[in-house]
């Protein structure tokens, strides 16, 4: 892939070794995140989006393990770092916003302490100074009167405000990269809009590169510069956003887009497409989308298609070019 | 003592197929199998004491006095020359009986009380559980001691008194189970089809709560045995010449520096039994507890 | 906060009354009496004694008199030691028991919590298995075996600590450890379970994602949540410690309240028995109140009402 990205995943494999078999949650993911850009990742539930993100910070819970691949942060492979070096990356180079703001904040620590902690851990600051910075950042993400709310505990905050706190927590270390795993799924629609606006602002103000995971194609269209579509633990298509929406090259992307309602009909969440996703513990040797694919050929059953360039900056993993005949 | 050195109340998991879980656990964990075996042997030996024991538990031989383990008395003899092995076997009968009966008493009260509170729910539940909380904070054993001293320290009294101490946690666990089960579809269905409250309790609730109940009962037995030993130590347990493990240990502890075997053997056996029961109970609880099943 | 405490105190008054009444009637209904026992006392003296303490009166008059003196916080004279009142006995015996209990609780927490944390952090590792086996072994050895064992080793063999009696700090060590061990074991188990649970929480992952180190993670983020159940265990634990101390006081010949209680029970010293039970009930209610306040203090989600 072109230019030198801030973050690139090469052939990342994260497996869960469960009693009922090895679930290949992430099975050879390749991705690039370019400086100052927003990368959207979409895919249906269980396609491995969250596990990919957790892998980047090496936060995969047992029985999961990263078994292969590289995670290059400006050329440095995160998988080779010592625990100590890794901690320097977490929070400082890469900030993370988790999906569920209700459970992701520590109920026993005040908001101020939690937000300021990132600074305390990474920088030589007194608690007072850190708290002052925390108040500034909280103010910036839209918590009014933040200085007076530092001592409050999370249960006093609404879901939307907690998500802002989470975002402040990820931003305060001034990371190069912000990873947001469905930051708006748990929020209602008006708050969603506010939080997204916040992300746009962040991109402008902080100059961070963002990985944005979502189920909502509308959000992707509005926010992302590039989109990666994941299916069964793999990236099946990667392209600039506009290109992806206008010229999809993977049948799965096509199916996703087909479920989009016309503009004005509201609700851009991914609609289920016919068929069921494959069992990750028993992936077929060929293409994982075979069963659900209207274009499949004999060859698809025998060999899994690799991610190949299909246009300028456009990659897809499919043996069939269904656009050819048109 | 040790009335609360037990499971944290209310953490016992939902009912699952008990036999299947026990079986799977046992197969996977050889330690559990070992514990079960040890327990089985001690239990059997105690039950068969009249046939196994080489002497009677009260046969005094003052000439012999306290003699260390030898070929005739392989656990030695006590200060009155009684055979310790025989006394330990017979003592086991009493300790086990106290443990089992005490547990049954606690089961009876706890299960009834808990399932009524849980099944009724609402206000009844609140009042009943408040009462349990309240009793929890009482110096229970003091009342037991009073009962035993002022009335009689017969074995029957012992059973009842110990069961009375233990029912609280059982009530809590059962109540939690009943509370969650009562809205289950099959219970609702039974209610709609006109099954009476007692019918639902015995035919639907109890069978489905069996797992946690059995687990907790496994953990209650050692607690009761320990309590009996505690009371024996204060001179309130079974009365001589009968003996329980508790009385044997308490007699032996007094002369530990002179005749160490008198405390060693009964204490080792008691510890083995308590350890095995706790280990089994713990293992079963872990197996049943969805929170602890990671893989 | 104050209101919460006051309400709790108000709620416990009927409980105390109930306990007073129950113990009173249980004791009176029991056969025998303080001056009717085996001792061969001439009938006239017996009658005299009975009259002196009002035991010849109808039951309800005795009960009324008992309640009235309770209101004045007067637990009455001891039947066994005629020259002392029950209040005096408690004032004398309780500080000893209290010191012992407190030391034991400290032992329990200082051993139990770290052991539980280590076991949880090294979940399924060697240290976990080791701690948990020690824990089970600890639960399975009764204190009255442990006590003599400790005496045997540390006093009679190694001469480290005095084997019995009370007064100096060295004399506190063995009894406190003996009494505290079962609780440390229990607390270790509880801490481990809760810690394992907490370590799986999302907010722990959040902290990790911030680059928080392992030590800070445990200390700042996990421990508080894991200790809440331990704190609520302390309420019943105090009740249990109190009963446990009876045995310890007997083994180590410590002049504490537990021993007075047993002795007075055996000699049917009604007033002392009732007095101690009542005193302990109040103590436990107070201990539970303290625990609840502490709990609220530790859990910010509970707001004072
Ligand atoms: N703790 C775990 N244990 C076992 N398997 C897991 C675990 N976490 C994830 N997986 C496996 O990884 C797969 C991918 O999960 P992941 O959370 O990445 O999906 P996702 O794309 O984020 O889905 P969603 O859109 O629902 O968040 C799951 O289907 C599951 O099989
Ligand atoms: Mg996800």
């Amino acid at each position: 892939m072109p230019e030198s990205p801030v973050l690139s995943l090469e052939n990342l494999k994260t497996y869960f070794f469960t009693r009922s078999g090895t679930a290949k949650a992430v099975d050879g993911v390749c991705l690039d995140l370019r400086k100052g850009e927003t990368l959207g990742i979409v895919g249906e539930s269980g396609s491995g989006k969250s596990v990919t993100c957790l892998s980047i910070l090496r936060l995969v819970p047992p029985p999961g393990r990263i078994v292969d691949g590289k995670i290059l942060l400006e050329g440095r492979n995160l998988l080779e770092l010592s625990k100590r070096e890794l901690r320097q990356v977490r929070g400082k180079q890469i900030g993370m916003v988790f999906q569920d703001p209700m459970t992701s904040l520590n109920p026993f620590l005040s908001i101020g302490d939690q937000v300021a902690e990132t600074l305390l851990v990474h920088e030589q600051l007194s608690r007072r100074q850190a708290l002052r910075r925390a108040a500034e950042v909280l103010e910036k993400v839209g918590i009014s009167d933040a200085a007076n709310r530092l001592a409050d505990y999370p249960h006093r905050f609404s879901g939307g405000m907690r998500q802002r706190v989470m975002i402040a927590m990820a931003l305060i270390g001034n990371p190069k990269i912000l990873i947001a795993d469905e930051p708006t799924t748990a929020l209602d629609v008006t708050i969603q809009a506010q939080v997204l606006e916040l992300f746009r602002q962040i991109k402008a103000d902080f100059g961070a590169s963002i990985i944005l995971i979502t189920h909502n194609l509308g959000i992707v269209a509005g926010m992302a510069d590039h989109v990666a579509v994941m299916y069964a633990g793999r990236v099946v298509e990667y392209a600039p956003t506009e290109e992806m929406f206008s010229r999809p090259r993977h049948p799965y992307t096509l199916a996703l887009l087909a479920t989009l309602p016309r503009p004005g009909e509201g609700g851009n969440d991914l609609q289920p497409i016919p068929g069921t996703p494959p069992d990750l513990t028993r992936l077929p040797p060929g293409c994982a989308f075979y069963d659900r694919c209207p274009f499949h050929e004999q060859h698809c059953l025998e060999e899994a298609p690799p991610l190949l360039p299909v246009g300028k900056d456009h990659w897809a993993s499919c043996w069939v070019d269904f656009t050819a005949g048109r | 003592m040790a009335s609360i050195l037990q499971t944290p109340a209310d953490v016992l998991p939902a009912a699952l197929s008990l036999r299947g879980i026990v079986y799977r656990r046992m197969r996977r964990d050889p330690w559990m199998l070992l514990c079960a075996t040890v327990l089985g042997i001690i239990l059997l030996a105690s039950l068969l004491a009249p046939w196994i024991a080489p002497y009677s538990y009260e046969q005094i031989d003052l000439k012999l006095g306290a003699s260390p383990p030898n070929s005739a008395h392989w656990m030695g003899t006590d200060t009155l020359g009684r055979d310790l092995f025989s006394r330990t076997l017979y003592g086991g009968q009493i300790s086990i009986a106290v443990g089992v009966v005490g547990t049954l008493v606690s089961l009876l009260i706890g299960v009834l009380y808990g399932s009524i509170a849980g099944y009724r729910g609402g206000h009844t539940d609140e009042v009943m559980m408040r009462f349990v909380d309240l009793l929890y904070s009482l110096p229970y054993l003091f009342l037991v001691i009073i009962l035993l001293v002022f009335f009689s320290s017969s074995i029957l009294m012992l059973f009842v008194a110990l069961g009375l101490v233990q029912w609280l946690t059982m009530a809590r666990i059962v109540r939690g189970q009943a509370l969650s089960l009562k809205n289950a579809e099959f219970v609702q269905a039974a209610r709609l089809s006109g099954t009476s409250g007692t019918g639902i309790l015995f035919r639907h609730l109890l069978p489905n709560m069996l797992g946690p109940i059995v687990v907790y009962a496994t953990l209650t037995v050692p607690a009761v045995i320990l309590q009996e030993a505690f009371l024996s130590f204060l001179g309130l347990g079974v009365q001589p010449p009968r003996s329980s493990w508790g009385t044997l240990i308490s007699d032996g502890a007094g002369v530990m520096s002179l005749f160490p075997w008198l405390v060693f053997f009964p204490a080792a056996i008691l510890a083995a039994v308590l350890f095995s029961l706790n280990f089994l109970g713990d293992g079963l609880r872990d197996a049943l507890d969805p929170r602890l099943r990671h893989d | 906060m104050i209101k919460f405490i006051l309400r709790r105190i108000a709620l416990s008054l009927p409980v105390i009354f109930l306990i007073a009444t129950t113990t009173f009637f249980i004791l009176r209904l029991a056969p025998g009496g303080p001056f009717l026992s085996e001792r061969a006392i001439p009938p006239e003296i017996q009658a005299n004694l009975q009259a002196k303490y009002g035991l010849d009166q109808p039951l309800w008059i005795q009960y009324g008199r008992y309640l009235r003196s309770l209101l004045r916080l007067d637990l009455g004279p001891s039947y066994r030691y005629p020259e002392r009142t029950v209040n005096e006995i408690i004032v004398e015996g309780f500080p000893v028991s209290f010191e012992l209990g407190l030391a034991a609780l400290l032992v329990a927490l200082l051993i139990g919590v770290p052991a539980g944390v280590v076991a949880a952090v090294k979940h399924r590792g060697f240290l976990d298995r080791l701690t948990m086996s020690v824990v089970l072994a600890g639960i399975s050895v009764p204190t009255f075996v442990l006590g003599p064992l400790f005496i045997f080793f540390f006093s009679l063999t190694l001469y480290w600590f005095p084997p019995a009696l009370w007064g100096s700090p060295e004399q506190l060590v063995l009894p406190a450890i003996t009494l505290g061990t079962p609780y440390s074991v229990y607390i270790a188990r509880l801490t481990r379970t809760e810690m394992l649970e907490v370590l799986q929480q999302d907010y722990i992952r959040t902290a990790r994602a911030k680059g928080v180190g392992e030590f800070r993670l445990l200390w700042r983020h996990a421990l508080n949540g894991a200790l809440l159940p331990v704190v609520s265990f302390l309420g019943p634990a105090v009740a249990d410690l109190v009963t446990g101390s009876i045995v310890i006081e007997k083994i180590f010949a410590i002049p504490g309240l537990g021993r007075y209680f047993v002795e007075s029970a055996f000699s049917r010293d009604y007033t002392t028995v009732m007095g101690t039970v009542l005193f302990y009930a109040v103590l436990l209610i107070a201990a539970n109140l303290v625990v609840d306040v502490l709990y609220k203090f530790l859990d910010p989600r509970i707001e004072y009402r």
Side-chain angles (χ1 to χ4, degrees), chain A residues 195-326:
Chain A
V195 170
L196 288 174
E197 186 47 43
L198 183 60
F199 271 98
R200 274 197 206 100
Q201 205 187 318
I202 288 164
K203 207 168 124 186
D205 294 1
F206 291 77
S209 319
I210 299 176
I211 294 182
L212 184 65
I213 296 179
T214 175
H215 279 160
N216 188 313
L217 288 171
I219 294 179
V220 173
M223 305 275 304
D225 303 293
H226 278 81
V227 186
V229 178
M230 286 192 67
Y231 186 81
R234 294 184 185 203
V235 172
V236 291
E237 185 160 8
Y238 174 90
T241 309
E242 229 160 82
E243 166 100 359
M244 177 82 79
F245 277 84
S246 55
R247 274 184 299 279
R249 283 297 301 274
H250 194 280
Y252 177 62
T253 318
L254 189 71
L256 284 184
L257 294 178
T259 63
L260 265 185
R262 303 264 127 66
E265 280 175 29
N268 286 329
D269 278 2
L270 290 187
Q271 302 300 312
I273 62 172
T276 47
D279 180 354
L280 295 179
T281 58
R282 280 178 206 79
L283 285 179
C287 177
F289 192 58
Y290 181 86
D291 290 341
R292 302 162 85 183
C293 181
F295 308 105
H296 63 197
E297 293 169 355
Q298 184 58 34
H299 185 47
C300 303
L301 207 49
E302 289 152 9
E303 195 180 344
L307 197 59
L308 295 170
V310 291
K312 184 176 178 296
D313 202 15
H314 191 162
W315 303 63
S317 68
C318 183
W319 294 123
V320 186
D321 183 2
F322 55 80
T323 59
R326 295 187 196 168

Side-chain angles (χ1 to χ4, degrees), chain B residues 3 6 137 233 282 294, chain C residues 186 189 197 200 240 250 288:
Chain B
S3 60
Q6 283 300 322
S137 59
F233 185 77
D282 257 20
H294 302 295
Chain C
Y186 186 80
R189 199 148 76 144
E197 168 102 7
Q200 287 180 48
D240 235 37
K250 187 177 170 192
N288 275 290

Side-chain angles (χ1 to χ4, degrees), chain B residues 47-114:
Chain B
L47 286 181
L48 299 180
W51 295 278
I52 296 180
Y55 306 87
S56 111
Y57 61 87
E58 49 190 352
Q59 187 181 320
I60 296 178
D61 185 349
L62 287 174
K63 275 197 304 274
L64 196 59
S67 58
N70 53 55
S71 55
H73 304 275
W74 66 273
M75 281 189 187
T77 55
D78 69 6
T79 43
L80 296 179
R82 293 176 294 196
D83 179 56
L84 187 59
F85 178 55
S86 307
R87 285 180 67 73
T88 306
L89 286 182
Y90 280 103
Q93 286 189 339
I94 295 199
S95 284
I96 292 166
V98 169
V100 171
V101 178
T103 303
L104 286 180
V105 172
S106 83
L107 267 177
L108 197 70
I109 307 176
V111 169
L112 270 181
Y113 192 95

Side-chain angles (χ1 to χ4, degrees), chain A residues 16 18 23 25 43-51 61-63 99 182 215 280:
Chain A
F16 285 88
T18 67
E44 64 193 333
S45 204
S47 55
K49 305 181 298 291
S50 298
V51 175
Q99 182 166 350
E182 305 189 31
H215 279 160
L280 295 179

